[in-house]
Amino acid sequence: MPLPPHARTSALWDIFCRVIDNHGDLGVCWRLARQLAERGQQVRLWVDDASALDWMAPGARQGRVDSVRVLPWADSLSPGVLAALPLADVWVEAFGCEIAPEFIAAGACLSGARGQNGIENPPPVWINLEYLSAEPWVERMHALPSPVLHGPAAGWTKWFFYPGFTPRTGGLLREPDLPARQAAFDRAAWLRGQGIEWQGEPLVSLFCYEPPALGEWLAQLREAPAPTRLLATAGRASAAVLSSENSLQRPPVKREQLSISYLPYLTQPGYDHLLWSCDLNFVRGEDSLVRALWAGAPFVWHIYPQHDDAHHAKLEAFLRWLEAPASLADFHRVWNGTAPGPLPAPDLPVWRACALAARQRLLAQDDLATQLLRFVAEKR
């Protein structure tokens, strides 16, 4: 659905991000900021730890990305800084982080003042951008209001906005030119650029926490009848593989079928290229799951583990939406430690058909940035 004309006008957005789950929270917020900027919006991204942007989006912290300013979270509490800031049209609290009371108070003062045109500044459209889930309650909660009852912003409204996989949710982040870029991608050239001497063997990417079944899976790859090259991403995934490798006692003569390449930290486009290069992708958290869905290759999701096991129901809801075949669903459960048993053998043709069907369903829906722009235009 195209945006109405008033949704295409420029607005000033404040996006707030606290980095909790390694790089995923910041990755999502940066993608959103970029996509809004590319659609004519001005964005201030307030973040408590922006260091990962140095490799994720080089130049971002230095202000070299048009229409996006990256600002330290601490400045949102500073009276001197706040007094000099124009009031934003939109506030976005990403993943349940809470805007500083000082920032809210400053915004409340500005919203009651009159601008140069003599018209009173309206309060910003205040959005609580939630975590991604396929659970049924997401459709019921999406776009519901939450009245602000206390403090300087009493009487305002905060809106719940849920990303999701169905037309009754807020959708997923997707750049308009993503399919065209993927169609033009040269896999062999990208691998050469990474120093990977690819001989046509199956490629598997690994981006994970510390999955319970990692050791068993690596052993299967070593003893498989055909060779596989594993591309391990920097950070926890590489550390987990190295830990597993160092704990092994190998037979001295047996030839192994597994080759491992340890990658440096990749930019966000570089990570897409990794996913597009591989025949099977292991992903984790939220941001990389969405990118794996757009890649259209077979994938396995390592869901963020929660202490109360709430991630079990979240995983099962996603597998139902995905219409995962039995082998893929069982692999997910063992990989995530939600069910016992050996890892089933991957059935890549069947898994690929599942991934492509899921991508096709998602491509028929409006993306998250488009839906946010429309929602904000309706509320302003």
Side-chain angles (χ1 to χ4, degrees):
M1 183 187 300
L3 290 172
H6 57 283
R8 295 194 289 268
T9 59
S10 180
L12 176 60
W13 296 61
D14 280 318
I15 300 176
F16 291 83
C17 173
R18 282 194 181 275
V19 177
I20 298 173
D21 175 19
N22 294 275
H23 320 305
D25 297 339
L26 181 58
V28 170
C29 290
W30 178 252
R31 288 190 196 277
L32 175 60
R34 281 293 304 268
Q35 291 184 33
L36 290 172
E38 289 168 358
R39 302 177 199 209
Q41 309 302 295
Q42 301 292 317
V43 182
R44 298 185 300 218
L45 175 59
W46 302 86
V47 58
D48 61 342
D49 181 4
S51 58
L53 287 178
D54 290 341
W55 52 264
M56 188 185 298
R61 290 209 288 174
Q62 293 73 32
R64 295 200 291 268
V65 177
D66 290 344
S67 301
V68 182
R69 291 176 62 194
V70 179
L71 299 169
W73 183 283
D75 282 0
S76 70
L77 287 72
S78 168
V81 171
L82 297 178
L85 287 178
L87 179 65
D89 302 292
V90 189
W91 288 352
V92 178
E93 292 177 322
F95 311 119
C97 74
E98 295 184 355
I99 299 175
E102 294 87 346
F103 193 93
I104 296 172
C109 290
L110 289 172
S111 71
R114 295 185 180 275
Q116 294 180 349
N117 56 9
I119 299 175
E120 187 174 298
N121 294 322
V125 180
W126 192 346
I127 293 171
N128 185 356
L129 182 63
E130 288 286 356
Y131 284 100
L132 176 64
S133 178
E135 294 168 286
W137 55 263
V138 167
E139 291 186 338
R140 299 193 301 271
M141 295 293 293
H142 176 60
L144 289 184
S146 176
V148 179
L149 302 177
H150 307 288
W156 294 10
T157 300
K158 187 186 300 188
W159 300 91
F160 290 107
F161 205 93
Y162 281 86
F165 305 94
T166 66
R168 293 177 60 190
T169 68
L172 303 177
L173 286 170
R174 181 182 76 241
E175 306 89 288
D177 65 343
L178 183 63
R181 285 194 290 112
Q182 186 174 0
F185 175 66
D186 186 333
R187 165 162 135 161
W190 186 80
L191 291 168
R192 284 195 302 271
Q194 303 304 306
I196 297 169
E197 298 180 0
W198 181 47
Q199 304 299 319
E201 71 275 19
L203 300 175
V204 179
S205 76
L206 180 66
F207 184 50
C208 63
Y209 303 109
E210 293 80 24
L214 178 61
E216 175 190 347
W217 177 62
L218 293 175
Q220 288 183 3
L221 294 180
R222 290 187 202 96
E223 299 168 6
T228 297
R229 179 174 290 273
L230 177 65
L231 307 181
T233 57
R236 289 174 68 172
S238 286
V241 172
L242 285 167
S243 177
S244 177
E245 288 284 288
N246 292 336
S247 66
L248 284 177
Q249 294 183 356
R250 294 183 176 86
V253 179
K254 187 171 182 179
R255 180 177 182 272
E256 294 186 357
Q257 297 283 27
L258 175 62
S259 301
I260 303 176
S261 296
Y262 295 96
L263 300 176
Y265 283 104
L266 299 172
T267 64
Q268 286 190 331
Y271 184 67
D272 280 335
H273 297 161
L274 172 65
L275 296 176
W276 300 346
S277 295
C278 289
D279 303 284
L280 174 62
N281 293 306
F282 285 77
V283 296
R284 78 179 197 202
E286 178 172 326
D287 184 51
S288 61
L289 168 64
V290 174
R291 307 316 290 187
L293 283 163
W294 297 135
F299 67 89
V300 175
W301 181 31
H302 193 189
I303 191 169
Y304 185 74
Q306 296 172 270
H307 70 276
D308 57 358
D309 289 340
H311 60 292
H312 292 210
K314 188 174 179 179
L315 176 63
E316 291 300 321
F318 174 73
L319 293 173
R320 286 193 295 272
W321 171 82
L322 186 63
E323 300 176 6
S327 61
L328 181 57
D330 289 344
F331 198 108
H332 271 88
R333 295 178 185 118
V334 178
W335 186 250
N336 283 277
T338 65
L343 286 168
D347 189 343
L348 293 188
V350 172
W351 293 10
R352 182 175 295 105
C354 173
L356 290 171
R359 181 174 67 174
Q360 197 61 34
R361 295 197 301 272
L362 292 169
L363 286 172
Q365 302 170 25
D366 283 335
D367 63 276
L368 177 62
T370 296
Q371 294 204 48
L372 272 172
L373 285 166
R374 184 182 300 117
F375 183 84
V376 166
E378 292 169 353
K379 303 304 178 188
R380 287 179 66 186

